Structure formats: C-alpha cells, structure tokens
Amino acid sequence: MIEIRGLSKSFQGEKAVDSLSLTVQKGAVYGLLGSNGAGKTTLLKTLAGIYRPEEGTVTIGGEPVFEAPDVKRRIIFMPDSPYFFPQASVRSMAAFYRSVYPSWSEKRFAELGAAFKLDRRRKLSRFSKGMQRQAALWLALSCTPDVLIMDEPIDGLDPVMRRQIKNLLFQEVAERGLTVLISSHNLREIEDLCDHVGIMHGGRMLVEKELDDLKADTHKIQVAFRDQRHSGALEAKLQILHQEQRGSVSLYIVKGDRERIAQAFHVYEPYVFDLLPLTLEEIFIYEMGDAGYDAQPILL
Amino acid sequence: MFELDVRSRKPIYEQLTDKVKEMIMHGILQADEQLPSVRALSSQLTVNPNTIQKAYRELEREGFIYSLPGKGSFVAPLAQERSESQRTELREQLLRLMAEAVYLGFTESEISALYRQMLERKSGGEKHD
C-alpha cells in the first residue's frame, strides 16, 4: 500500500531523512519508532504529501502522493498536535471534512458519536488536549480513509479511551483493511498496537520487521557458567549484540533461533540458564546502542 | 474465553497459539467446534487482527485447526501423527526433568507414585464429568 524508495529530504543543508526505504502492506498497522530528531515527522509529512520529496519516490497504492488530490483524498494525516479552525466545533469541522473528503460517511460519524462522548456544539478550543485528540480521531475515522497516518496519537488519552481507540482501529483494519502508520515514543503502546515496526535513527532506517519476528529473533540470556572459559567458546559461536557481567552471572543479548541458542548453552551445563524474549523497549535500546546512540552513565 | 498477559515478554501470537493448543488438549475445545472469528476475538481482547490471523494460520499449519472459506476456523480432530510428535517432544522434556530428579535423589518408587497420582486424578476427573 505504502512504498517509499530512497527518500531524502533536507532542511537548510541538514539531512532529516537520508535515502530511506519503507514498505507497508495493506491492512497492516505499522509502528515507526526512533530517537528524538530521527526524522519521523519529516517522513510522515512527506508521506502525507505536505513536503516534496527531494530524492526518491513516495507512493500510496502505486501513485505518487505530492500534489495528487486523488491520492490524498484517501489519506488522513493526524499531526502530533490536532489542528482545528479558530472558533470551530465538532459540527463545523465535520462540515468542512465532508466538503473535502468524498468518502465522508455520515452514518459512520453518527455511529462513532456513541463511542466519543463529546459535545458536538462546544468550541473545540475549550476541549482538553485528550478530548481534542478524540475529536480529531472521530473526524478522521468518519472520512473512512484507506490510509491513516498518525504522529504521536496516544498522547494525552486516558486508559479507557486508549482501549476504545485501539478497538476502533482494529475494527477498521479487520473489516475494511485500513492501513495504519503510527509514530510514537511510547513503546508499550506500539507493542500492543502494531504488527510491523521500523526503527529510525539519524534519518535512516535501522531495522524494519514484523514485530513478532523481531521479538522471536533476539533473546536475553542470563547464565552462570561452571567454568569462565566456557563463555569464550560460546561467544565465537553466537551472534552476540550485548554482554554484561553481573557478579558470577553473565547477561547476553543474542540474535538467532531460540532452540539453537539454548542448545549451544546446554552443552556446557551452566548452573543457571534463563532465556527470555526481549521487550520492544529493550530491542529499541540495544539497536540504538549498536548505532552509537545510548544513555551515558553520567551522574549530575 | 482467552486471557492474555500483555505485560508478558512472550509474543501475543505465541500466547494465543499456546492457549488454543492447551484448550484443545484439555478438551475444553472439542473437535469440529468453531473458534471465534478474527474480528470478534480482536475486539474482545483488543488485539491486532493481523496478530490473531497469524496465530490461526500457525495453528492451521500445525494441524490443530482447519478453516472453511467463508465459515471460519474449527478445531481439527486429533491426528495420529500429531500426537506422535507430541509424544516425542514430551519424552525429551521428561528426560530432562528426570535427569534433575535423579540428581536431587528421587527414588524410582517416588517417581512412580507421582505417575499413579496423576493417573488417579485423571480417572477421578472423568467421573465428575
């Protein structure tokens, strides 16, 4: 559904996105993660047709997005802070979206009204941050888009609403094959929401994979060897991303097949052996560490 | 019908496949019983429908369920070869546990007592049905 090939975009000579490629299948929920200033928002804005790609191509459903109203009609972009016209209410914003999006569904708008308990006549500027987000999503889903692009969508929503919104998105995905692209720092949310993730750093894509594969591929291992010489022998055999010594227990982050790794360790019959899947947060931190971006142990 | 632990490190699709397998093995899900649709389960559990689809695909590949186009997914009758592969797997697990038991000084009669205990529990459980 979404295809980005070799995209570059710079601002005043500084590269925000650097020859980046990305693919999102129809009906997928794709989570875009990245360090601060990695270029996520630039990427999303280029995808929404707001920025013109400097190099490379950005296509949705096989067609370029920039200055193509026919393509943009099927896309909704939700920026990190929702924008409404001054003095607007949900009702007047709905009238605007109706005039712009031919796929606007009055029926859907009414149905969703039951899920979001918001006053349609009240001024949006008087809504709280979370309520504004809800209103933005209400309007977005009422347009029945094919592609929904959201920049930091979960910010400021309470747990009940988060669940509600997840459910609404999943319904759209299951029933209509909506494609969703989400950027977020909240890795827990992404973990529950997405099936594919991409991790960005410095304008480039570090990893792009199915979330379950990513988790099934990297493991955290705690092990206490009978003999320290065993560790050296193992290190030659496995692809080790990270290693730490905590007393007599060693911590390894290893890439590869679970069974094979477990076997490799069992040969040495260690005193303690624990193999755990990684959380997305740990994957993020170790991948970033690999790219030279990690928390420095500074005490202030 | 399923409880998932979203805080667990285990991938959700793996939790799902394990749960369904467990329910089939314990007879909570009977042969030819229909499983909830992807859509229904997704909204019930607030889990990505693609993840559920993947779990169902995996279960089908392993022969635990079969799907009828346009009708949904159903529990497959227990296949001979499947129970055979389960036996092999279980044998290995048992051997590993036995090794530990021997190391900790379990006697043969203690282990056979455990076996009898489970056997009685199983026949007792069936009487209550």
Side-chain angles (χ1 to χ4, degrees):
Chain A
M1 193 67 185
I2 301 173
E3 281 265 358
I4 297 180
R5 286 285 156 267
L7 174 71
S8 292
K9 175 85 193 166
S10 46
F11 296 101
Q12 294 166 347
E14 230 175 279
K15 281 215 161 158
V17 174
D18 190 2
S19 45
L20 180 141
S21 298
L22 174 155
T23 312
V24 185
Q25 304 295 334
K26 184 176 162 59
V29 185
Y30 190 103
L32 191 63
L33 314 173
S35 49
N36 294 128
K40 297 188 297 285
T41 302
T42 308
L43 177 67
L44 294 188
K45 284 191 173 167
T46 317
L47 196 55
I50 297 168
Y51 293 151
R52 183 205 297 268
E54 259 159 36
E55 274 171 48
T57 55
V58 177
T59 59
I60 289 185
E63 287 168 70
V65 186
F66 190 72
E67 286 186 343
D70 282 344
V71 180
K72 289 203 215 171
R73 247 172 223 153
R74 298 183 277 135
I75 312 171
I76 292 269
F77 172 63
M78 291 173 62
D80 49 356
S81 51
Y83 176 79
F84 304 110
F85 296 131
Q87 313 294 326
S89 65
V90 170
R91 220 155 54 144
S92 63
M93 282 311 289
F96 171 73
Y97 274 88
R98 194 182 298 126
S99 70
V100 175
Y101 283 94
S103 57
W104 173 272
S105 161
E106 205 57 48
K107 185 170 153 269
R108 195 84 186 114
F109 180 65
E111 283 166 3
L112 289 167
F116 302 105
K117 294 171 186 74
L118 300 173
D119 185 350
R120 291 175 203 197
R121 290 175 202 190
R122 202 162 133 200
K123 259 190 225 165
L124 280 158
S125 56
R126 302 189 51 151
F127 277 176
S128 75
K129 186 176 155 199
M131 287 160 91
Q132 287 186 1
R133 280 228 174 266
Q134 290 180 37
L137 205 80
W138 183 4
L139 293 165
L141 290 179
S142 299
C143 294
T144 63
D146 291 344
V147 176
L148 184 58
I149 301 166
M150 301 193 280
D151 200 355
E152 296 282 345
I154 320 279
D155 257 21
L157 291 172
D158 67 55
V160 177
M161 258 309 139
R162 256 183 287 185
R163 201 184 166 96
Q164 172 83 276
I165 283 167
K166 269 192 225 165
N167 256 329
L168 284 172
L169 286 179
F170 289 157
Q171 263 177 44
E172 298 275 318
V173 170
E175 281 163 32
R176 298 199 299 114
L178 172 74
T179 309
V180 186
L181 186 66
I182 293 175
S183 90
S184 182
H185 291 294
N186 193 334
L187 300 187
R188 270 244 49 106
E189 290 296 340
I190 290 272
E191 205 165 2
D192 296 349
L193 204 57
C194 300
D195 40 67
H196 288 73
V197 289
I199 301 181
M200 274 181 83
H201 179 63
R204 291 169 179 276
M205 191 65 86
L206 293 182
V207 210
E208 196 190 4
K209 238 182 178 174
E210 205 169 317
L211 181 55
D212 287 324
D213 288 350
L214 194 62
K215 289 174 89 175
D217 198 40
T218 330
H219 314 273
K220 183 177 186 164
I221 292 156
Q222 279 176 319
V223 65
F225 289 111
R226 282 175 190 276
D227 187 331
Q228 272 313 318
R229 276 170 300 180
H230 290 165
S231 69
L234 264 171
E235 278 158 30
K237 269 194 251 169
L238 299 168
Q239 194 189 346
I240 293 168
L241 290 185
H242 179 85
Q243 182 185 357
E244 245 177 86
Q245 194 72 32
R246 292 177 182 166
S248 58
V249 176
S250 313
L251 179 86
Y252 290 99
I253 304 295
V254 184
K255 249 191 177 149
D257 181 54
R258 182 163 60 189
E259 292 296 314
R260 212 179 62 81
I261 293 170
Q263 263 174 18
F265 274 94
H266 273 302
V267 171
Y268 299 101
E269 299 184 335
Y271 290 119
V272 181
F273 177 74
D274 259 332
L275 193 148
L276 299 167
L278 285 181
T279 62
L280 188 53
E281 185 166 336
E282 286 167 331
I283 294 174
F284 183 86
I285 288 170
Y286 291 123
E287 288 287 350
M288 281 292 161
D290 249 17
Y293 182 75
D294 47 10
Q296 298 300 325
I298 300 171
L299 291 174
L300 294 174
Chain B
M1 72 194 272
F2 302 105
E3 266 319 310
L4 296 180
D5 180 6
V6 289
R7 296 245 160 235
S8 162
R9 286 169 176 270
K10 212 161 141 189
I12 290 186
Y13 95 94
E14 229 180 276
Q15 286 189 46
L16 265 170
T17 48
D18 287 355
K19 266 273 159 38
V20 173
K21 281 183 206 169
E22 200 184 301
M23 286 170 95
I24 293 174
M25 284 181 218
H26 289 162
I28 302 167
L29 285 170
Q30 299 285 334
D32 300 318
E33 191 176 330
Q34 186 167 11
L35 288 159
S37 72
V38 170
R39 233 181 268 181
L41 204 57
S42 160
S43 70
Q44 202 181 83
L45 303 171
T46 319
V47 166
N48 190 323
N50 297 323
T51 306
I52 295 172
Q53 189 77 58
K54 190 175 165 191
Y56 278 11
R57 258 203 316 270
E58 182 66 22
L59 284 166
E60 192 171 347
R61 203 180 57 79
E62 290 179 30
F64 282 91
I65 65 172
Y66 63 93
S67 66
L68 297 176
K71 290 216 171 111
S73 303
F74 301 85
V75 178
L78 194 79
Q80 193 57 42
E81 57 193 303
R82 196 177 83 216
S83 61
E84 209 44 56
S85 77
Q86 269 173 15
R87 284 177 71 110
T88 329
E89 200 177 303
L90 192 63
R91 191 172 295 131
E92 273 166 31
Q93 281 180 19
L94 277 174
L95 275 177
R96 231 173 288 150
L97 282 175
M98 285 300 180
E100 250 177 82
V102 168
Y103 179 76
L104 290 174
F106 273 70
T107 62
E108 197 180 333
S109 61
E110 272 179 294
I111 288 171
S112 66
L114 284 173
Y115 178 78
R116 275 198 306 277
Q117 194 184 330
M118 283 325 286
L119 207 63
E120 273 162 33
R121 195 179 294 176
K122 185 167 181 287
S123 60
E126 272 164 13
K127 264 178 230 154
H128 288 298
D129 273 349

